[in-house]
Amino acid sequence: MSRREVESQLEQLASALKTMPLSSEAAWDRVWAQMKMPRQVNRWPLALSMSLVAATFAVANVVPIRYHHAPTLRAAYLPAPVLVERTPTPLGWTAPAVSGATAAPPLRFDVAPVPRPPGS
Amino acid sequence: MRTEPAEDSTRLADWIERGARGDEAACAALFHEFYPSVVRLSLGLLNDLDDAEEVAQDTFVYALRNLGRYDARRSAFRTWLFTIALSRCRNKRRRKLLLQGPLELLAGEAPATPREVEAALERRGLRRQLWQALQALSEPMREAVVLRYLGEMRYKEVGAVLGCNPKTAESRVRLGVETLRRTLTEQGAAPEWQWSEASA
């Protein structure tokens, strides 16, 4: 069978299908009746946007986001303050670190070096 | 292939314009002009006349409601209509495959040819295998062949409906016809009288 024969058979098939009886009038009545019916409102975009809003609120309420936006919460997550006791000694005042509520290391401030007098 | 004379296109533009304003007579004229071709196209893609008619009616409900959106500068009305029908046929076919496909695959049965199609083939002395081979083509090839031959479209129009360029559409059609030729040759090109006697 050649390619041309197949093409010819397909064309004949198309002509054959044109002879197929169709109830166009009944079909038109159904289509027009459906056209006259009020359109169904598509509600899924509204439902989706509501869900997105709900999800945003739910996510916004979790700690990592609140941490950045609520100062009191951020303060609560900071290391506890350290109690520093200063005791007098014969050599002067020392500031031994005494851990407070936590074992966090004490804050240390480096003393800035005093500039030497010129010529020394 | 089909051509649209000038008076036809003027008449069509008038129907579309009036139909967009909700004129029932214009909508009915558009429906009766194009309904048979949309049914034939859907039948070629779905292999079920009831499904084809349902899809065609659904296509017209959508098209007539959205006539105002149709832009004659972008495509011919038939191309626009066939694009809507093709999309609906794809959805219908996928839904059917989801529901029935696994059972049919388990049973190992090929889908039957609709009796209306068989009757039409018989009237022209055509072989049933041609329709079955057409249905057995892969989806892109079947769509291209059905649009080209059952839809009587030019390659440019086939490309516009399928969303590809005309060259791609042409190569799909050629490949589809070649696959049909091979299938029919393998099955043995029985003379028409043999098929008619066997089916009688």
Side-chain angles (χ1 to χ4, degrees), chain A residues 1 3 7 13-16 18-19 24-25 27 30 32 34 37 39, chain B residues 24 28 31-32 35 40 43 57 65 120-121 123-124 127 149 152 174 181:
Chain A
M1 178 175 262
R3 183 192 165 78
E7 286 177 336
L13 173 66
S15 320
K18 280 181 187 173
T19 62
S24 295
E25 284 304 327
R30 277 195 291 275
W32 191 247
Q34 244 180 302
M37 278 166 61
R39 285 189 196 206
Chain B
E24 186 182 349
F31 178 84
H32 291 299
Y35 180 69
R40 284 197 297 274
L43 179 62
Q57 287 163 29
R65 273 185 175 160
L121 291 169
R123 273 197 296 275
R124 292 290 173 117
R127 286 178 302 129
Y149 292 99
E152 300 183 324
R174 283 185 186 281
R181 190 193 66 77

PDB file of all heavy atoms in Angstrom, chain A residues 1 3 7 13-16 18-19 24-25 27 30 32 34 37 39, chain B residues 24 28 31-32 35 40 43 57 65 120-121 123-124 127 149 152 174 181:
ATOM      1  N   MET A   1       0.844  -1.199   0.000  1.00  0.00           N
ATOM      2  CA  MET A   1       0.000   0.000   0.000  1.00  0.00           C
ATOM      3  C   MET A   1       0.877   1.245   0.000  1.00  0.00           C
ATOM      4  O   MET A   1       1.826   1.337   0.780  1.00  0.00           O
ATOM      5  CB  MET A   1      -0.888  -0.012   1.253  1.00  0.00           C
ATOM      6  CG  MET A   1      -1.772   1.192   1.379  1.00  0.00           C
ATOM      7  SD  MET A   1      -2.883   1.054   2.769  1.00  0.00           S
ATOM      8  CE  MET A   1      -4.350   0.477   1.958  1.00  0.00           C
ATOM      9  N   ARG A   3       1.717   5.449   0.119  1.00  0.00           N
ATOM     10  CA  ARG A   3       1.356   6.594   0.966  1.00  0.00           C
ATOM     11  C   ARG A   3       0.153   7.350   0.372  1.00  0.00           C
ATOM     12  O   ARG A   3      -0.750   7.779   1.098  1.00  0.00           O
ATOM     13  CB  ARG A   3       2.592   7.492   1.006  1.00  0.00           C
ATOM     14  CG  ARG A   3       2.470   8.669   1.863  1.00  0.00           C
ATOM     15  CD  ARG A   3       3.622   9.625   1.595  1.00  0.00           C
ATOM     16  NE  ARG A   3       3.249  10.872   2.194  1.00  0.00           N
ATOM     17  CZ  ARG A   3       3.317  11.125   3.484  1.00  0.00           C
ATOM     18  NH1 ARG A   3       3.790  10.208   4.303  1.00  0.00           N
ATOM     19  NH2 ARG A   3       2.922  12.276   3.976  1.00  0.00           N
ATOM     20  N   GLU A   7      -3.511   8.340   2.040  1.00  0.00           N
ATOM     21  CA  GLU A   7      -4.059   9.710   2.035  1.00  0.00           C
ATOM     22  C   GLU A   7      -5.446   9.728   1.388  1.00  0.00           C
ATOM     23  O   GLU A   7      -6.362  10.374   1.887  1.00  0.00           O
ATOM     24  CB  GLU A   7      -3.111  10.653   1.300  1.00  0.00           C
ATOM     25  CG  GLU A   7      -1.869  10.971   2.104  1.00  0.00           C
ATOM     26  CD  GLU A   7      -0.884  11.846   1.363  1.00  0.00           C
ATOM     27  OE1 GLU A   7      -0.899  11.844   0.108  1.00  0.00           O
ATOM     28  OE2 GLU A   7      -0.089  12.516   2.025  1.00  0.00           O
ATOM     29  N   LEU A  13     -12.526   8.695   4.080  1.00  0.00           N
ATOM     30  CA  LEU A  13     -13.063   8.545   5.448  1.00  0.00           C
ATOM     31  C   LEU A  13     -13.747   9.842   5.893  1.00  0.00           C
ATOM     32  O   LEU A  13     -14.847   9.820   6.460  1.00  0.00           O
ATOM     33  CB  LEU A  13     -11.922   8.193   6.401  1.00  0.00           C
ATOM     34  CG  LEU A  13     -12.230   8.151   7.889  1.00  0.00           C
ATOM     35  CD1 LEU A  13     -13.190   7.015   8.208  1.00  0.00           C
ATOM     36  CD2 LEU A  13     -10.959   7.970   8.710  1.00  0.00           C
ATOM     37  N   ALA A  14     -13.085  10.977   5.603  1.00  0.00           N
ATOM     38  CA  ALA A  14     -13.666  12.278   5.959  1.00  0.00           C
ATOM     39  C   ALA A  14     -15.004  12.476   5.245  1.00  0.00           C
ATOM     40  O   ALA A  14     -15.983  12.933   5.856  1.00  0.00           O
ATOM     41  CB  ALA A  14     -12.694  13.399   5.604  1.00  0.00           C
ATOM     42  N   SER A  15     -15.053  12.094   3.958  1.00  0.00           N
ATOM     43  CA  SER A  15     -16.320  12.237   3.216  1.00  0.00           C
ATOM     44  C   SER A  15     -17.373  11.295   3.780  1.00  0.00           C
ATOM     45  O   SER A  15     -18.556  11.662   3.873  1.00  0.00           O
ATOM     46  CB  SER A  15     -16.128  11.904   1.739  1.00  0.00           C
ATOM     47  OG  SER A  15     -14.955  12.405   1.276  1.00  0.00           O
ATOM     48  N   ALA A  16     -16.946  10.090   4.157  1.00  0.00           N
ATOM     49  CA  ALA A  16     -17.897   9.109   4.711  1.00  0.00           C
ATOM     50  C   ALA A  16     -18.507   9.617   6.015  1.00  0.00           C
ATOM     51  O   ALA A  16     -19.709   9.477   6.254  1.00  0.00           O
ATOM     52  CB  ALA A  16     -17.197   7.778   4.939  1.00  0.00           C
ATOM     53  N   LYS A  18     -19.044  12.582   6.810  1.00  0.00           N
ATOM     54  CA  LYS A  18     -19.977  13.691   6.547  1.00  0.00           C
ATOM     55  C   LYS A  18     -21.399  13.173   6.326  1.00  0.00           C
ATOM     56  O   LYS A  18     -22.358  13.915   6.491  1.00  0.00           O
ATOM     57  CB  LYS A  18     -19.518  14.478   5.312  1.00  0.00           C
ATOM     58  CG  LYS A  18     -18.415  15.448   5.624  1.00  0.00           C
ATOM     59  CD  LYS A  18     -18.032  16.211   4.390  1.00  0.00           C
ATOM     60  CE  LYS A  18     -16.815  17.069   4.658  1.00  0.00           C
ATOM     61  NZ  LYS A  18     -16.316  17.708   3.452  1.00  0.00           N
ATOM     62  N   THR A  19     -21.502  11.900   5.939  1.00  0.00           N
ATOM     63  CA  THR A  19     -22.830  11.338   5.695  1.00  0.00           C
ATOM     64  C   THR A  19     -23.476  10.815   6.983  1.00  0.00           C
ATOM     65  O   THR A  19     -24.626  10.372   6.973  1.00  0.00           O
ATOM     66  CB  THR A  19     -22.761  10.176   4.686  1.00  0.00           C
ATOM     67  OG1 THR A  19     -21.952   9.139   5.265  1.00  0.00           O
ATOM     68  CG2 THR A  19     -22.157  10.609   3.363  1.00  0.00           C
ATOM     69  N   SER A  24     -28.695  17.713  14.910  1.00  0.00           N
ATOM     70  CA  SER A  24     -28.217  19.076  15.184  1.00  0.00           C
ATOM     71  C   SER A  24     -29.252  19.926  15.913  1.00  0.00           C
ATOM     72  O   SER A  24     -28.892  20.742  16.765  1.00  0.00           O
ATOM     73  CB  SER A  24     -27.854  19.768  13.875  1.00  0.00           C
ATOM     74  OG  SER A  24     -26.770  19.126  13.285  1.00  0.00           O
ATOM     75  N   GLU A  25     -30.540  19.738  15.572  1.00  0.00           N
ATOM     76  CA  GLU A  25     -31.583  20.586  16.186  1.00  0.00           C
ATOM     77  C   GLU A  25     -31.668  20.340  17.692  1.00  0.00           C
ATOM     78  O   GLU A  25     -31.727  21.287  18.481  1.00  0.00           O
ATOM     79  CB  GLU A  25     -32.931  20.317  15.519  1.00  0.00           C
ATOM     80  CG  GLU A  25     -33.081  20.956  14.147  1.00  0.00           C
ATOM     81  CD  GLU A  25     -32.846  22.468  14.146  1.00  0.00           C
ATOM     82  OE1 GLU A  25     -33.173  23.126  15.153  1.00  0.00           O
ATOM     83  OE2 GLU A  25     -32.313  22.975  13.145  1.00  0.00           O
ATOM     84  N   ALA A  27     -29.359  19.118  19.521  1.00  0.00           N
ATOM     85  CA  ALA A  27     -28.100  19.597  20.115  1.00  0.00           C
ATOM     86  C   ALA A  27     -28.149  21.109  20.312  1.00  0.00           C
ATOM     87  O   ALA A  27     -27.722  21.619  21.354  1.00  0.00           O
ATOM     88  CB  ALA A  27     -26.933  19.216  19.214  1.00  0.00           C
ATOM     89  N   ARG A  30     -30.175  22.053  23.315  1.00  0.00           N
ATOM     90  CA  ARG A  30     -29.421  21.852  24.568  1.00  0.00           C
ATOM     91  C   ARG A  30     -28.415  22.983  24.775  1.00  0.00           C
ATOM     92  O   ARG A  30     -28.268  23.510  25.883  1.00  0.00           O
ATOM     93  CB  ARG A  30     -28.701  20.500  24.528  1.00  0.00           C
ATOM     94  CG  ARG A  30     -29.587  19.325  24.925  1.00  0.00           C
ATOM     95  CD  ARG A  30     -28.765  18.097  25.224  1.00  0.00           C
ATOM     96  NE  ARG A  30     -28.153  17.547  24.028  1.00  0.00           N
ATOM     97  CZ  ARG A  30     -28.747  16.702  23.201  1.00  0.00           C
ATOM     98  NH1 ARG A  30     -29.985  16.303  23.448  1.00  0.00           N
ATOM     99  NH2 ARG A  30     -28.124  16.233  22.144  1.00  0.00           N
ATOM    100  N   TRP A  32     -28.469  26.065  23.549  1.00  0.00           N
ATOM    101  CA  TRP A  32     -29.112  27.358  23.828  1.00  0.00           C
ATOM    102  C   TRP A  32     -29.671  27.381  25.250  1.00  0.00           C
ATOM    103  O   TRP A  32     -29.593  28.412  25.929  1.00  0.00           O
ATOM    104  CB  TRP A  32     -30.198  27.644  22.784  1.00  0.00           C
ATOM    105  CG  TRP A  32     -30.699  29.051  22.876  1.00  0.00           C
ATOM    106  CD1 TRP A  32     -31.940  29.465  23.248  1.00  0.00           C
ATOM    107  CD2 TRP A  32     -29.942  30.245  22.625  1.00  0.00           C
ATOM    108  NE1 TRP A  32     -32.017  30.824  23.230  1.00  0.00           N
ATOM    109  CE2 TRP A  32     -30.796  31.335  22.855  1.00  0.00           C
ATOM    110  CE3 TRP A  32     -28.628  30.496  22.226  1.00  0.00           C
ATOM    111  CZ2 TRP A  32     -30.378  32.658  22.702  1.00  0.00           C
ATOM    112  CZ3 TRP A  32     -28.212  31.822  22.070  1.00  0.00           C
ATOM    113  CH2 TRP A  32     -29.086  32.871  22.308  1.00  0.00           C
ATOM    114  N   GLN A  34     -28.415  25.829  27.742  1.00  0.00           N
ATOM    115  CA  GLN A  34     -27.254  26.017  28.625  1.00  0.00           C
ATOM    116  C   GLN A  34     -26.761  27.458  28.581  1.00  0.00           C
ATOM    117  O   GLN A  34     -26.309  27.995  29.588  1.00  0.00           O
ATOM    118  CB  GLN A  34     -26.124  25.095  28.186  1.00  0.00           C
ATOM    119  CG  GLN A  34     -25.768  24.053  29.260  1.00  0.00           C
ATOM    120  CD  GLN A  34     -24.642  23.163  28.806  1.00  0.00           C
ATOM    121  OE1 GLN A  34     -24.760  22.516  27.773  1.00  0.00           O
ATOM    122  NE2 GLN A  34     -23.581  23.117  29.554  1.00  0.00           N
ATOM    123  N   MET A  37     -28.786  29.602  30.856  1.00  0.00           N
ATOM    124  CA  MET A  37     -28.622  29.378  32.301  1.00  0.00           C
ATOM    125  C   MET A  37     -27.596  30.364  32.856  1.00  0.00           C
ATOM    126  O   MET A  37     -26.649  30.723  32.155  1.00  0.00           O
ATOM    127  CB  MET A  37     -28.122  27.949  32.566  1.00  0.00           C
ATOM    128  CG  MET A  37     -29.238  26.923  32.567  1.00  0.00           C
ATOM    129  SD  MET A  37     -28.598  25.253  32.479  1.00  0.00           S
ATOM    130  CE  MET A  37     -27.628  25.164  33.946  1.00  0.00           C
ATOM    131  N   ARG A  39     -24.418  31.804  34.553  1.00  0.00           N
ATOM    132  CA  ARG A  39     -23.076  31.227  34.627  1.00  0.00           C
ATOM    133  C   ARG A  39     -22.741  30.822  36.052  1.00  0.00           C
ATOM    134  O   ARG A  39     -23.101  31.523  37.006  1.00  0.00           O
ATOM    135  CB  ARG A  39     -22.030  32.250  34.189  1.00  0.00           C
ATOM    136  CG  ARG A  39     -22.003  32.451  32.715  1.00  0.00           C
ATOM    137  CD  ARG A  39     -20.801  33.291  32.378  1.00  0.00           C
ATOM    138  NE  ARG A  39     -20.937  33.816  31.040  1.00  0.00           N
ATOM    139  CZ  ARG A  39     -19.897  34.156  30.290  1.00  0.00           C
ATOM    140  NH1 ARG A  39     -18.695  34.032  30.745  1.00  0.00           N
ATOM    141  NH2 ARG A  39     -20.076  34.628  29.086  1.00  0.00           N
TER     142      ARG A  39
ATOM    143  N   GLU B  24     -29.949  35.311  18.948  1.00  0.00           N
ATOM    144  CA  GLU B  24     -30.149  33.860  18.905  1.00  0.00           C
ATOM    145  C   GLU B  24     -30.016  33.308  17.487  1.00  0.00           C
ATOM    146  O   GLU B  24     -29.401  32.255  17.271  1.00  0.00           O
ATOM    147  CB  GLU B  24     -31.513  33.473  19.494  1.00  0.00           C
ATOM    148  CG  GLU B  24     -31.671  31.970  19.589  1.00  0.00           C
ATOM    149  CD  GLU B  24     -33.027  31.536  20.119  1.00  0.00           C
ATOM    150  OE1 GLU B  24     -33.771  32.387  20.610  1.00  0.00           O
ATOM    151  OE2 GLU B  24     -33.309  30.315  20.038  1.00  0.00           O
ATOM    152  N   ALA B  28     -27.418  30.518  16.322  1.00  0.00           N
ATOM    153  CA  ALA B  28     -27.906  29.265  15.732  1.00  0.00           C
ATOM    154  C   ALA B  28     -27.256  29.033  14.370  1.00  0.00           C
ATOM    155  O   ALA B  28     -26.873  27.905  14.040  1.00  0.00           O
ATOM    156  CB  ALA B  28     -29.423  29.316  15.594  1.00  0.00           C
ATOM    157  N   PHE B  31     -23.806  27.859  14.903  1.00  0.00           N
ATOM    158  CA  PHE B  31     -23.844  26.483  15.408  1.00  0.00           C
ATOM    159  C   PHE B  31     -24.073  25.489  14.269  1.00  0.00           C
ATOM    160  O   PHE B  31     -23.330  24.527  14.108  1.00  0.00           O
ATOM    161  CB  PHE B  31     -24.948  26.355  16.460  1.00  0.00           C
ATOM    162  CG  PHE B  31     -25.100  24.969  17.004  1.00  0.00           C
ATOM    163  CD1 PHE B  31     -24.297  24.529  18.041  1.00  0.00           C
ATOM    164  CD2 PHE B  31     -26.031  24.093  16.468  1.00  0.00           C
ATOM    165  CE1 PHE B  31     -24.419  23.236  18.539  1.00  0.00           C
ATOM    166  CE2 PHE B  31     -26.165  22.806  16.967  1.00  0.00           C
ATOM    167  CZ  PHE B  31     -25.369  22.378  17.996  1.00  0.00           C
ATOM    168  N   HIS B  32     -25.091  25.743  13.478  1.00  0.00           N
ATOM    169  CA  HIS B  32     -25.422  24.795  12.404  1.00  0.00           C
ATOM    170  C   HIS B  32     -24.343  24.748  11.315  1.00  0.00           C
ATOM    171  O   HIS B  32     -24.173  23.732  10.661  1.00  0.00           O
ATOM    172  CB  HIS B  32     -26.794  25.123  11.804  1.00  0.00           C
ATOM    173  CG  HIS B  32     -27.909  24.834  12.762  1.00  0.00           C
ATOM    174  ND1 HIS B  32     -28.154  23.569  13.256  1.00  0.00           N
ATOM    175  CD2 HIS B  32     -28.812  25.637  13.361  1.00  0.00           C
ATOM    176  CE1 HIS B  32     -29.179  23.604  14.099  1.00  0.00           C
ATOM    177  NE2 HIS B  32     -29.595  24.859  14.182  1.00  0.00           N
ATOM    178  N   TYR B  35     -21.166  22.925  13.690  1.00  0.00           N
ATOM    179  CA  TYR B  35     -21.363  21.787  14.599  1.00  0.00           C
ATOM    180  C   TYR B  35     -20.932  20.449  13.985  1.00  0.00           C
ATOM    181  O   TYR B  35     -20.167  19.703  14.618  1.00  0.00           O
ATOM    182  CB  TYR B  35     -22.827  21.733  15.060  1.00  0.00           C
ATOM    183  CG  TYR B  35     -23.150  20.592  15.994  1.00  0.00           C
ATOM    184  CD1 TYR B  35     -22.645  20.564  17.290  1.00  0.00           C
ATOM    185  CD2 TYR B  35     -23.962  19.544  15.591  1.00  0.00           C
ATOM    186  CE1 TYR B  35     -22.941  19.519  18.149  1.00  0.00           C
ATOM    187  CE2 TYR B  35     -24.266  18.492  16.440  1.00  0.00           C
ATOM    188  CZ  TYR B  35     -23.759  18.485  17.713  1.00  0.00           C
ATOM    189  OH  TYR B  35     -24.042  17.445  18.560  1.00  0.00           O
ATOM    190  N   ARG B  40     -17.183  15.772  14.015  1.00  0.00           N
ATOM    191  CA  ARG B  40     -16.289  14.849  13.290  1.00  0.00           C
ATOM    192  C   ARG B  40     -14.874  14.902  13.867  1.00  0.00           C
ATOM    193  O   ARG B  40     -14.240  13.869  14.069  1.00  0.00           O
ATOM    194  CB  ARG B  40     -16.256  15.206  11.801  1.00  0.00           C
ATOM    195  CG  ARG B  40     -17.485  14.771  11.042  1.00  0.00           C
ATOM    196  CD  ARG B  40     -17.234  14.762   9.555  1.00  0.00           C
ATOM    197  NE  ARG B  40     -16.920  16.081   9.028  1.00  0.00           N
ATOM    198  CZ  ARG B  40     -17.833  16.978   8.651  1.00  0.00           C
ATOM    199  NH1 ARG B  40     -19.115  16.692   8.742  1.00  0.00           N
ATOM    200  NH2 ARG B  40     -17.480  18.159   8.183  1.00  0.00           N
ATOM    201  N   LEU B  43     -14.950  13.214  17.217  1.00  0.00           N
ATOM    202  CA  LEU B  43     -15.116  11.769  17.040  1.00  0.00           C
ATOM    203  C   LEU B  43     -13.785  11.123  16.660  1.00  0.00           C
ATOM    204  O   LEU B  43     -13.425  10.057  17.181  1.00  0.00           O
ATOM    205  CB  LEU B  43     -16.166  11.504  15.953  1.00  0.00           C
ATOM    206  CG  LEU B  43     -16.464  10.061  15.610  1.00  0.00           C
ATOM    207  CD1 LEU B  43     -17.017   9.317  16.818  1.00  0.00           C
ATOM    208  CD2 LEU B  43     -17.460   9.957  14.459  1.00  0.00           C
ATOM    209  N   GLN B  57     -20.906  20.191  21.946  1.00  0.00           N
ATOM    210  CA  GLN B  57     -21.893  21.112  22.550  1.00  0.00           C
ATOM    211  C   GLN B  57     -21.229  22.002  23.599  1.00  0.00           C
ATOM    212  O   GLN B  57     -21.485  23.207  23.668  1.00  0.00           O
ATOM    213  CB  GLN B  57     -23.037  20.309  23.155  1.00  0.00           C
ATOM    214  CG  GLN B  57     -23.948  19.729  22.082  1.00  0.00           C
ATOM    215  CD  GLN B  57     -24.840  18.621  22.591  1.00  0.00           C
ATOM    216  OE1 GLN B  57     -25.209  18.598  23.756  1.00  0.00           O
ATOM    217  NE2 GLN B  57     -25.190  17.687  21.722  1.00  0.00           N
ATOM    218  N   ARG B  65     -20.519  31.979  24.298  1.00  0.00           N
ATOM    219  CA  ARG B  65     -20.464  32.900  25.451  1.00  0.00           C
ATOM    220  C   ARG B  65     -19.285  33.857  25.338  1.00  0.00           C
ATOM    221  O   ARG B  65     -19.291  34.930  25.912  1.00  0.00           O
ATOM    222  CB  ARG B  65     -20.325  32.092  26.745  1.00  0.00           C
ATOM    223  CG  ARG B  65     -21.654  31.670  27.302  1.00  0.00           C
ATOM    224  CD  ARG B  65     -21.474  30.983  28.625  1.00  0.00           C
ATOM    225  NE  ARG B  65     -22.760  30.683  29.217  1.00  0.00           N
ATOM    226  CZ  ARG B  65     -22.949  29.785  30.146  1.00  0.00           C
ATOM    227  NH1 ARG B  65     -21.943  29.081  30.599  1.00  0.00           N
ATOM    228  NH2 ARG B  65     -24.150  29.579  30.644  1.00  0.00           N
ATOM    229  N   ALA B 120     -20.715   4.259   8.401  1.00  0.00           N
ATOM    230  CA  ALA B 120     -20.226   5.230   7.415  1.00  0.00           C
ATOM    231  C   ALA B 120     -19.108   4.629   6.567  1.00  0.00           C
ATOM    232  O   ALA B 120     -19.041   4.844   5.355  1.00  0.00           O
ATOM    233  CB  ALA B 120     -19.733   6.480   8.127  1.00  0.00           C
ATOM    234  N   LEU B 121     -18.215   3.869   7.229  1.00  0.00           N
ATOM    235  CA  LEU B 121     -17.116   3.228   6.498  1.00  0.00           C
ATOM    236  C   LEU B 121     -17.666   2.218   5.501  1.00  0.00           C
ATOM    237  O   LEU B 121     -17.204   2.130   4.360  1.00  0.00           O
ATOM    238  CB  LEU B 121     -16.172   2.510   7.477  1.00  0.00           C
ATOM    239  CG  LEU B 121     -15.333   3.390   8.398  1.00  0.00           C
ATOM    240  CD1 LEU B 121     -14.683   2.543   9.469  1.00  0.00           C
ATOM    241  CD2 LEU B 121     -14.263   4.117   7.614  1.00  0.00           C
ATOM    242  N   ARG B 123     -20.559   2.136   4.061  1.00  0.00           N
ATOM    243  CA  ARG B 123     -21.232   2.779   2.922  1.00  0.00           C
ATOM    244  C   ARG B 123     -20.238   3.134   1.829  1.00  0.00           C
ATOM    245  O   ARG B 123     -20.547   3.092   0.659  1.00  0.00           O
ATOM    246  CB  ARG B 123     -21.952   4.048   3.403  1.00  0.00           C
ATOM    247  CG  ARG B 123     -23.361   3.791   3.906  1.00  0.00           C
ATOM    248  CD  ARG B 123     -24.164   5.079   3.974  1.00  0.00           C
ATOM    249  NE  ARG B 123     -23.621   6.032   4.928  1.00  0.00           N
ATOM    250  CZ  ARG B 123     -23.904   6.016   6.228  1.00  0.00           C
ATOM    251  NH1 ARG B 123     -24.699   5.096   6.734  1.00  0.00           N
ATOM    252  NH2 ARG B 123     -23.391   6.921   7.035  1.00  0.00           N
ATOM    253  N   ARG B 124     -19.019   3.511   2.246  1.00  0.00           N
ATOM    254  CA  ARG B 124     -18.007   3.900   1.260  1.00  0.00           C
ATOM    255  C   ARG B 124     -17.074   2.744   0.890  1.00  0.00           C
ATOM    256  O   ARG B 124     -16.086   2.956   0.195  1.00  0.00           O
ATOM    257  CB  ARG B 124     -17.154   5.051   1.824  1.00  0.00           C
ATOM    258  CG  ARG B 124     -17.915   6.349   1.977  1.00  0.00           C
ATOM    259  CD  ARG B 124     -18.224   6.921   0.604  1.00  0.00           C
ATOM    260  NE  ARG B 124     -19.081   8.077   0.720  1.00  0.00           N
ATOM    261  CZ  ARG B 124     -18.708   9.294   0.331  1.00  0.00           C
ATOM    262  NH1 ARG B 124     -17.526   9.506  -0.156  1.00  0.00           N
ATOM    263  NH2 ARG B 124     -19.545  10.301   0.443  1.00  0.00           N
ATOM    264  N   ARG B 127     -12.174   0.187   4.798  1.00  0.00           N
ATOM    265  CA  ARG B 127     -11.869  -0.858   5.767  1.00  0.00           C
ATOM    266  C   ARG B 127     -11.881  -0.310   7.195  1.00  0.00           C
ATOM    267  O   ARG B 127     -11.438   0.801   7.444  1.00  0.00           O
ATOM    268  CB  ARG B 127     -10.517  -1.484   5.441  1.00  0.00           C
ATOM    269  CG  ARG B 127     -10.620  -2.382   4.208  1.00  0.00           C
ATOM    270  CD  ARG B 127      -9.293  -2.954   3.852  1.00  0.00           C
ATOM    271  NE  ARG B 127      -8.339  -1.893   3.599  1.00  0.00           N
ATOM    272  CZ  ARG B 127      -7.139  -1.832   4.165  1.00  0.00           C
ATOM    273  NH1 ARG B 127      -6.780  -2.774   5.002  1.00  0.00           N
ATOM    274  NH2 ARG B 127      -6.327  -0.871   3.885  1.00  0.00           N
ATOM    275  N   TYR B 149      -7.081  15.773   7.947  1.00  0.00           N
ATOM    276  CA  TYR B 149      -7.984  15.053   7.040  1.00  0.00           C
ATOM    277  C   TYR B 149      -9.455  15.148   7.459  1.00  0.00           C
ATOM    278  O   TYR B 149     -10.298  15.448   6.630  1.00  0.00           O
ATOM    279  CB  TYR B 149      -7.536  13.594   6.894  1.00  0.00           C
ATOM    280  CG  TYR B 149      -6.230  13.504   6.157  1.00  0.00           C
ATOM    281  CD1 TYR B 149      -5.038  13.354   6.846  1.00  0.00           C
ATOM    282  CD2 TYR B 149      -6.182  13.642   4.775  1.00  0.00           C
ATOM    283  CE1 TYR B 149      -3.829  13.316   6.178  1.00  0.00           C
ATOM    284  CE2 TYR B 149      -4.973  13.612   4.090  1.00  0.00           C
ATOM    285  CZ  TYR B 149      -3.798  13.445   4.798  1.00  0.00           C
ATOM    286  OH  TYR B 149      -2.610  13.429   4.131  1.00  0.00           O
ATOM    287  N   GLU B 152     -10.147  18.860   7.630  1.00  0.00           N
ATOM    288  CA  GLU B 152      -9.888  19.460   6.310  1.00  0.00           C
ATOM    289  C   GLU B 152      -9.176  20.806   6.439  1.00  0.00           C
ATOM    290  O   GLU B 152      -9.604  21.815   5.893  1.00  0.00           O
ATOM    291  CB  GLU B 152     -11.195  19.597   5.527  1.00  0.00           C
ATOM    292  CG  GLU B 152     -11.871  18.252   5.315  1.00  0.00           C
ATOM    293  CD  GLU B 152     -13.127  18.333   4.474  1.00  0.00           C
ATOM    294  OE1 GLU B 152     -13.849  19.336   4.615  1.00  0.00           O
ATOM    295  OE2 GLU B 152     -13.381  17.410   3.693  1.00  0.00           O
ATOM    296  N   ARG B 174       2.817  13.773   8.206  1.00  0.00           N
ATOM    297  CA  ARG B 174       3.537  12.816   7.348  1.00  0.00           C
ATOM    298  C   ARG B 174       3.901  11.565   8.132  1.00  0.00           C
ATOM    299  O   ARG B 174       3.753  10.442   7.646  1.00  0.00           O
ATOM    300  CB  ARG B 174       4.815  13.470   6.792  1.00  0.00           C
ATOM    301  CG  ARG B 174       4.527  14.423   5.666  1.00  0.00           C
ATOM    302  CD  ARG B 174       5.804  14.972   5.049  1.00  0.00           C
ATOM    303  NE  ARG B 174       5.474  15.978   4.062  1.00  0.00           N
ATOM    304  CZ  ARG B 174       5.058  15.717   2.825  1.00  0.00           C
ATOM    305  NH1 ARG B 174       4.915  14.455   2.436  1.00  0.00           N
ATOM    306  NH2 ARG B 174       4.767  16.684   1.992  1.00  0.00           N
ATOM    307  N   ARG B 181       0.278   3.746   7.063  1.00  0.00           N
ATOM    308  CA  ARG B 181       0.610   2.921   5.889  1.00  0.00           C
ATOM    309  C   ARG B 181       1.274   1.624   6.338  1.00  0.00           C
ATOM    310  O   ARG B 181       0.918   0.536   5.882  1.00  0.00           O
ATOM    311  CB  ARG B 181       1.552   3.704   4.960  1.00  0.00           C
ATOM    312  CG  ARG B 181       1.772   3.048   3.601  1.00  0.00           C
ATOM    313  CD  ARG B 181       2.933   3.677   2.859  1.00  0.00           C
ATOM    314  NE  ARG B 181       4.205   3.446   3.524  1.00  0.00           N
ATOM    315  CZ  ARG B 181       4.892   2.301   3.491  1.00  0.00           C
ATOM    316  NH1 ARG B 181       4.426   1.274   2.818  1.00  0.00           N
ATOM    317  NH2 ARG B 181       6.041   2.195   4.120  1.00  0.00           N
TER     318      ARG B 181
END
